[in-house]
Amino acid sequence: MKVAKFGGTSVASGTQIKKIKSIITSDPDRKIVVVSAPGKRFSGDSKITDLLIALGNAAFAHKPAGELRENIIDRFSAIAEELHLPAQIVQEIDETIEQILSSDEPDHTKMDALKSIGEDSSAKLVSTYLEMAGYQAKYMNPKDAGIIVSDEPGNAQILPESLSALASLREEEGIIVIPGFFGFTKDGQLMTFPRGGSDITGSIVAAGVQADLYENFTDVNSVYTVNPTIVQNPKEIRTLTYREMRELSYAGFSVFHDEALIPAFEAKIPVCIKNTGNPDAPGTMVVADKKPQEKCVVGIASDTGFASLYISKYLMNRELGIGRKLLQILEEENISFEHAPSGIDEMSVIFRDNQLTRGKEEAVIRRIKSELNPDTISIDYDFAMIMVVGEGMNNTIGIANKAAAAFSDANVNIEMINQGSSELSMMFGVKTDKLNQAIQSLYKTYFD
Amino acid sequence: MKVAKFGGTSVASGTQIKKIKSIITSDPDRKIVVVSAPGKRFSGDSKITDLLIALGNAAFAHKPAGELRENIIDRFSAIAEELHLPAQIVQEIDETIEQILSSDEPDHTKMDALKSIGEDSSAKLVSTYLEMAGYQAKYMNPKDAGIIVSDEPGNAQILPESLSALASLREEEGIIVIPGFFGFTKDGQLMTFPRGGSDITGSIVAAGVQADLYENFTDVNSVYTVNPTIVQNPKEIRTLTYREMRELSYAGFSVFHDEALIPAFEAKIPVCIKNTGNPDAPGTMVVADKKPQEKCVVGIASDTGFASLYISKYLMNRELGIGRKLLQILEEENISFEHAPSGIDEMSVIFRDNQLTRGKEEAVIRRIKSELNPDTISIDYDFAMIMVVGEGMNNTIGIANKAAAAFSDANVNIEMINQGSSELSMMFGVKTDKLNQAIQSLYKTYFD
């Protein structure tokens, strides 16, 4: 049994839903389908969920909503017409919106209900289309499916009891279509997940039914070895481990949110990332473990927006606790650090610079000066981090050598190297304006 | 004006003292001389200071001292005879020992007085020898010279007022010979420095008199680019900055204790390390700054005896403060850390393993498990650290490249890289049994 999840672009139009119908029905193992809300059909188009949120915000602020509601209904009508579905299905969506907006519930409850309409309608459209084409298929509400969540509107967390509740889905006949992005509390209250939450639904359902495979259909052929906006037509990754996926996701790989996959990872369900527009392409498999001979560099990730705080103090390494105190000051100022390379009389702390407003920067520097009395202190911005990822690479002689040579070839100075804790990544800090040339040179070294 | 300090081997015998006489008198700028206690004349010989300490320990424990006192006197007699000095000088040393041992002072006061006899007698022998050879020379007690220290027996610290007190030595006629290793409190109490303390005396005297040069005479021609026990006949370092010296000293360069030089460094007095046995060799200059074109790798230092504590925890990088808490546990267990490389879900802490007894290891692991709840925790021993040092190297493209290639050529896996805080060093962790081959390959890369 496979669980197939289709992202927003895969259900953005009737044409796309025709494609997913043929994907679903071409493999009898594809018994459970999870869908997102209709996404963008073209660059500049709106996502249904964004329109629904805007509608809610306007209504709760008692401001005019313009043609938001008409736009939403028009999108669903266009899909229904293209698929020759009965007009009643769209009329029911409009009635649901009316019902929510005119109810006496608190605003956050109404907002969660509004936001769920995108996925919920998507599932109804897809299941009806499959039924009308002669397949045994049915829409299933997350409450009936058994997706039980915490009471946190807009930020619901899956509760562990979902797993056993979902297991009974294995017994269902035909194809089941479940809307992503929301679940229900034990008291039956609808709650949405954080954004990107359809991946959470797909992942927990795959884990609950103990699927043989969780397929994640999106709009790219695979996960790429490097960001395609930096390197043209980069190689595709065939197989990734969960851990490699997590390291890559950390630094800018945005195919999907890695934390959404945790339920699938914990149940050791293999995940396949595929392209709705090109379903015959092999895609990228994400698995628990790889054969040793496959262990090498699999990808290069990068991210910008880092800053480096530097302090120096003569004989610092004799001062027990100074490194800890520096981290504690940052912690008390609510700054989470990424790395802390240290010399003998020096220490740097690398952190994401969006945590530091001008006022906070001054406060942090003032505290460090008065509490640690350093000889020098400075904060540098515009750092980018590059992560070279691959299982087993840190036990491979010559990997660091190749990386360092790539930076040298690209004429890029390495500002920071962090290696020694992770078994499957090496991290390099460079100046942001040197990032692209460094990445291109690393790509050439490992993949060309 | 130059201040010349002679180490233990340089005053170990009459023959050695003849050499230092010709060094002192060959340059009229060598106006102030600081001497250590007689050291070893040959491998297996005793240092006078060790004999004096053993004598004190035996006496205070009311145990028989064997022939310790005779051995001490014999050493001084041999020197005096070889230099044709009056026997009275040795008799006075013996009387001083007798006086100390029979006094009513507390043991720590007697011990400090006993320990000071080595340097004090050395200075008297040298000054008398210079005088008898027709030079204007005199012994000067540290109290008269102005070396004012804190009241910490065996661990005295120089007080800043020494600087102005010492300045008047500039007005003295002839050659002044000052014993190293001890000073006097404001109340006139004799206190010795920590071991190696003659360097402290030399350095503070050079700073106090604003010497043009502080010459540190020892038994090697220079500071070497790498440990000569690992690489045969390594290249000599001509010029080092203070900062380079400090980084090299940290990891195994034991020519002298870098902290002893702080007074000279602070006063920006250049330091020259020379060989008593080969005074015409240029030696190694230690200076405040170098010309930019001289900036490159100057030396490779290494040290063994490190351990690595590793913890991993899924989603660790979302947990504010976990890194700080780990360091705090170690701090509370009195373990000072050297480096803390971190991955996304992992963190390692490198520390000197002599801080960890079996019992403490268990306590640390127990606390980390219960307070941080990591997925995995482990401690690995037998790490060695290698430091490649040179001003400006971290802004030189290709330095990391060369280093990484050297490890790869030597077939040594790099367990850890720490670069990014210090401007003048890169640090590498390797397994101890791979240290020598890594160092040899690095030496070849940078110096051959």
Side-chain angles (χ1 to χ4, degrees), chain A residues 13 46 61 73 93 104-105 128 172 191 216 225 255 257 275 307 320 395 410 418:
Chain A
S13 69
S46 301
I73 296 304
I93 296 171
D104 295 333
E105 298 285 345
T128 307
E172 295 281 337
M191 298 277 158
N216 198 299
T225 47
V255 172
H257 203 232
N275 189 351
L320 184 64
N395 292 315
N418 191 320

PDB file of all heavy atoms in Angstrom, chain A residues 13 46 61 73 93 104-105 128 172 191 216 225 255 257 275 307 320 395 410 418:
ATOM      1  N   SER A  13      -5.287  23.124 -11.022  1.00  0.00           N
ATOM      2  CA  SER A  13      -6.235  23.295 -12.134  1.00  0.00           C
ATOM      3  C   SER A  13      -6.816  21.943 -12.515  1.00  0.00           C
ATOM      4  O   SER A  13      -6.320  20.889 -12.087  1.00  0.00           O
ATOM      5  CB  SER A  13      -5.506  23.886 -13.347  1.00  0.00           C
ATOM      6  OG  SER A  13      -4.606  22.928 -13.871  1.00  0.00           O
ATOM      7  N   SER A  46      -2.472  33.436  -7.471  1.00  0.00           N
ATOM      8  CA  SER A  46      -2.655  33.331  -6.017  1.00  0.00           C
ATOM      9  C   SER A  46      -2.857  31.879  -5.602  1.00  0.00           C
ATOM     10  O   SER A  46      -3.390  31.064  -6.356  1.00  0.00           O
ATOM     11  CB  SER A  46      -3.896  34.118  -5.593  1.00  0.00           C
ATOM     12  OG  SER A  46      -3.755  35.461  -5.952  1.00  0.00           O
ATOM     13  N   ALA A  61     -11.716  42.096  10.621  1.00  0.00           N
ATOM     14  CA  ALA A  61     -11.409  43.517  10.836  1.00  0.00           C
ATOM     15  C   ALA A  61     -12.551  44.410  10.367  1.00  0.00           C
ATOM     16  O   ALA A  61     -12.431  45.629  10.372  1.00  0.00           O
ATOM     17  CB  ALA A  61     -10.118  43.878  10.107  1.00  0.00           C
ATOM     18  N   ILE A  73     -14.263  31.345  -5.284  1.00  0.00           N
ATOM     19  CA  ILE A  73     -15.292  30.508  -5.909  1.00  0.00           C
ATOM     20  C   ILE A  73     -15.002  30.308  -7.398  1.00  0.00           C
ATOM     21  O   ILE A  73     -15.161  29.202  -7.935  1.00  0.00           O
ATOM     22  CB  ILE A  73     -16.686  31.142  -5.679  1.00  0.00           C
ATOM     23  CG1 ILE A  73     -17.002  31.153  -4.170  1.00  0.00           C
ATOM     24  CG2 ILE A  73     -17.772  30.392  -6.460  1.00  0.00           C
ATOM     25  CD1 ILE A  73     -16.940  29.781  -3.507  1.00  0.00           C
ATOM     26  N   ILE A  93     -19.271  24.682  -1.403  1.00  0.00           N
ATOM     27  CA  ILE A  93     -18.088  25.388  -0.877  1.00  0.00           C
ATOM     28  C   ILE A  93     -18.492  26.812  -0.483  1.00  0.00           C
ATOM     29  O   ILE A  93     -18.158  27.300   0.606  1.00  0.00           O
ATOM     30  CB  ILE A  93     -16.944  25.420  -1.926  1.00  0.00           C
ATOM     31  CG1 ILE A  93     -16.461  23.992  -2.230  1.00  0.00           C
ATOM     32  CG2 ILE A  93     -15.788  26.298  -1.455  1.00  0.00           C
ATOM     33  CD1 ILE A  93     -15.499  23.883  -3.408  1.00  0.00           C
ATOM     34  N   ASP A 104     -21.031  32.413  15.162  1.00  0.00           N
ATOM     35  CA  ASP A 104     -20.706  33.166  16.379  1.00  0.00           C
ATOM     36  C   ASP A 104     -19.412  32.689  17.031  1.00  0.00           C
ATOM     37  O   ASP A 104     -19.072  33.094  18.152  1.00  0.00           O
ATOM     38  CB  ASP A 104     -21.843  33.011  17.396  1.00  0.00           C
ATOM     39  CG  ASP A 104     -23.126  33.645  16.888  1.00  0.00           C
ATOM     40  OD1 ASP A 104     -23.017  34.591  16.063  1.00  0.00           O
ATOM     41  OD2 ASP A 104     -24.208  33.192  17.293  1.00  0.00           O
ATOM     42  N   GLU A 105     -18.709  31.810  16.365  1.00  0.00           N
ATOM     43  CA  GLU A 105     -17.468  31.271  16.945  1.00  0.00           C
ATOM     44  C   GLU A 105     -16.431  32.387  17.100  1.00  0.00           C
ATOM     45  O   GLU A 105     -16.492  33.417  16.427  1.00  0.00           O
ATOM     46  CB  GLU A 105     -16.894  30.190  16.007  1.00  0.00           C
ATOM     47  CG  GLU A 105     -17.801  28.991  15.794  1.00  0.00           C
ATOM     48  CD  GLU A 105     -17.818  28.066  17.000  1.00  0.00           C
ATOM     49  OE1 GLU A 105     -16.933  28.199  17.865  1.00  0.00           O
ATOM     50  OE2 GLU A 105     -18.739  27.220  17.085  1.00  0.00           O
ATOM     51  N   THR A 128     -14.536  13.124  -6.115  1.00  0.00           N
ATOM     52  CA  THR A 128     -15.707  13.106  -7.009  1.00  0.00           C
ATOM     53  C   THR A 128     -15.278  12.800  -8.442  1.00  0.00           C
ATOM     54  O   THR A 128     -15.923  12.010  -9.146  1.00  0.00           O
ATOM     55  CB  THR A 128     -16.424  14.479  -6.952  1.00  0.00           C
ATOM     56  OG1 THR A 128     -16.699  14.809  -5.587  1.00  0.00           O
ATOM     57  CG2 THR A 128     -17.721  14.453  -7.756  1.00  0.00           C
ATOM     58  N   GLU A 172     -10.062  -0.177   4.559  1.00  0.00           N
ATOM     59  CA  GLU A 172     -11.025   0.469   3.644  1.00  0.00           C
ATOM     60  C   GLU A 172     -10.885  -0.074   2.218  1.00  0.00           C
ATOM     61  O   GLU A 172      -9.792  -0.383   1.765  1.00  0.00           O
ATOM     62  CB  GLU A 172     -10.789   1.990   3.631  1.00  0.00           C
ATOM     63  CG  GLU A 172     -11.056   2.683   4.962  1.00  0.00           C
ATOM     64  CD  GLU A 172     -12.549   2.922   5.218  1.00  0.00           C
ATOM     65  OE1 GLU A 172     -13.319   2.954   4.233  1.00  0.00           O
ATOM     66  OE2 GLU A 172     -12.934   3.040   6.402  1.00  0.00           O
ATOM     67  N   MET A 191      -8.564  22.092  13.741  1.00  0.00           N
ATOM     68  CA  MET A 191      -7.338  22.886  13.945  1.00  0.00           C
ATOM     69  C   MET A 191      -6.447  22.702  12.724  1.00  0.00           C
ATOM     70  O   MET A 191      -6.245  21.575  12.273  1.00  0.00           O
ATOM     71  CB  MET A 191      -6.532  22.367  15.158  1.00  0.00           C
ATOM     72  CG  MET A 191      -7.229  22.450  16.497  1.00  0.00           C
ATOM     73  SD  MET A 191      -7.077  24.092  17.223  1.00  0.00           S
ATOM     74  CE  MET A 191      -8.501  24.047  18.340  1.00  0.00           C
ATOM     75  N   ASN A 216       5.595  11.623  -2.434  1.00  0.00           N
ATOM     76  CA  ASN A 216       5.360  13.052  -2.278  1.00  0.00           C
ATOM     77  C   ASN A 216       5.464  13.701  -3.652  1.00  0.00           C
ATOM     78  O   ASN A 216       6.562  13.952  -4.151  1.00  0.00           O
ATOM     79  CB  ASN A 216       6.420  13.600  -1.312  1.00  0.00           C
ATOM     80  CG  ASN A 216       6.018  14.939  -0.738  1.00  0.00           C
ATOM     81  OD1 ASN A 216       5.844  15.893  -1.493  1.00  0.00           O
ATOM     82  ND2 ASN A 216       5.858  15.017   0.570  1.00  0.00           N
ATOM     83  N   THR A 225      21.218  17.993  -6.474  1.00  0.00           N
ATOM     84  CA  THR A 225      22.465  17.981  -5.705  1.00  0.00           C
ATOM     85  C   THR A 225      22.857  19.374  -5.231  1.00  0.00           C
ATOM     86  O   THR A 225      23.664  19.511  -4.310  1.00  0.00           O
ATOM     87  CB  THR A 225      23.612  17.429  -6.568  1.00  0.00           C
ATOM     88  OG1 THR A 225      23.560  18.067  -7.852  1.00  0.00           O
ATOM     89  CG2 THR A 225      23.474  15.927  -6.762  1.00  0.00           C
ATOM     90  N   VAL A 255      12.541  21.688  -0.856  1.00  0.00           N
ATOM     91  CA  VAL A 255      11.572  20.806  -1.510  1.00  0.00           C
ATOM     92  C   VAL A 255      10.417  20.502  -0.571  1.00  0.00           C
ATOM     93  O   VAL A 255       9.262  20.597  -0.922  1.00  0.00           O
ATOM     94  CB  VAL A 255      12.233  19.497  -1.980  1.00  0.00           C
ATOM     95  CG1 VAL A 255      11.177  18.527  -2.474  1.00  0.00           C
ATOM     96  CG2 VAL A 255      13.226  19.800  -3.088  1.00  0.00           C
ATOM     97  N   HIS A 257       9.427  20.532   3.930  1.00  0.00           N
ATOM     98  CA  HIS A 257       9.893  20.838   5.268  1.00  0.00           C
ATOM     99  C   HIS A 257      10.244  19.536   5.953  1.00  0.00           C
ATOM    100  O   HIS A 257       9.397  18.679   6.149  1.00  0.00           O
ATOM    101  CB  HIS A 257       8.786  21.582   6.014  1.00  0.00           C
ATOM    102  CG  HIS A 257       9.313  22.395   7.129  1.00  0.00           C
ATOM    103  ND1 HIS A 257       8.851  22.324   8.402  1.00  0.00           N
ATOM    104  CD2 HIS A 257      10.324  23.290   7.151  1.00  0.00           C
ATOM    105  CE1 HIS A 257       9.535  23.141   9.173  1.00  0.00           C
ATOM    106  NE2 HIS A 257      10.421  23.750   8.441  1.00  0.00           N
ATOM    107  N   ASN A 275       7.569  13.985  -9.495  1.00  0.00           N
ATOM    108  CA  ASN A 275       7.023  15.122 -10.218  1.00  0.00           C
ATOM    109  C   ASN A 275       5.682  14.750 -10.836  1.00  0.00           C
ATOM    110  O   ASN A 275       5.604  13.821 -11.652  1.00  0.00           O
ATOM    111  CB  ASN A 275       8.008  15.555 -11.307  1.00  0.00           C
ATOM    112  CG  ASN A 275       7.607  16.867 -11.954  1.00  0.00           C
ATOM    113  OD1 ASN A 275       6.514  17.389 -11.709  1.00  0.00           O
ATOM    114  ND2 ASN A 275       8.487  17.408 -12.784  1.00  0.00           N
ATOM    115  N   ALA A 307      25.419  36.028  10.839  1.00  0.00           N
ATOM    116  CA  ALA A 307      26.332  37.026  11.380  1.00  0.00           C
ATOM    117  C   ALA A 307      27.310  36.315  12.303  1.00  0.00           C
ATOM    118  O   ALA A 307      27.046  35.202  12.770  1.00  0.00           O
ATOM    119  CB  ALA A 307      25.566  38.093  12.150  1.00  0.00           C
ATOM    120  N   LEU A 320      38.029  29.713  33.134  1.00  0.00           N
ATOM    121  CA  LEU A 320      36.970  28.696  33.085  1.00  0.00           C
ATOM    122  C   LEU A 320      35.612  29.367  32.950  1.00  0.00           C
ATOM    123  O   LEU A 320      35.281  30.270  33.698  1.00  0.00           O
ATOM    124  CB  LEU A 320      37.016  27.843  34.360  1.00  0.00           C
ATOM    125  CG  LEU A 320      36.042  26.656  34.440  1.00  0.00           C
ATOM    126  CD1 LEU A 320      36.341  25.614  33.378  1.00  0.00           C
ATOM    127  CD2 LEU A 320      36.084  26.016  35.819  1.00  0.00           C
ATOM    128  N   ASN A 395      34.552  10.102   7.394  1.00  0.00           N
ATOM    129  CA  ASN A 395      35.582   9.087   7.561  1.00  0.00           C
ATOM    130  C   ASN A 395      36.308   8.827   6.250  1.00  0.00           C
ATOM    131  O   ASN A 395      37.024   7.843   6.116  1.00  0.00           O
ATOM    132  CB  ASN A 395      34.968   7.793   8.101  1.00  0.00           C
ATOM    133  CG  ASN A 395      34.482   7.993   9.520  1.00  0.00           C
ATOM    134  OD1 ASN A 395      35.187   8.581  10.328  1.00  0.00           O
ATOM    135  ND2 ASN A 395      33.269   7.550   9.804  1.00  0.00           N
ATOM    136  N   ALA A 410      38.134  28.638  -6.741  1.00  0.00           N
ATOM    137  CA  ALA A 410      37.150  29.689  -6.984  1.00  0.00           C
ATOM    138  C   ALA A 410      37.637  31.034  -6.440  1.00  0.00           C
ATOM    139  O   ALA A 410      36.929  32.033  -6.540  1.00  0.00           O
ATOM    140  CB  ALA A 410      35.825  29.324  -6.338  1.00  0.00           C
ATOM    141  N   ASN A 418      33.633  24.300   9.988  1.00  0.00           N
ATOM    142  CA  ASN A 418      33.129  23.577  11.151  1.00  0.00           C
ATOM    143  C   ASN A 418      33.024  22.125  10.761  1.00  0.00           C
ATOM    144  O   ASN A 418      32.161  21.732   9.989  1.00  0.00           O
ATOM    145  CB  ASN A 418      31.763  24.122  11.551  1.00  0.00           C
ATOM    146  CG  ASN A 418      31.315  23.587  12.895  1.00  0.00           C
ATOM    147  OD1 ASN A 418      31.511  22.410  13.211  1.00  0.00           O
ATOM    148  ND2 ASN A 418      30.715  24.428  13.700  1.00  0.00           N
TER     149      ASN A 418
END
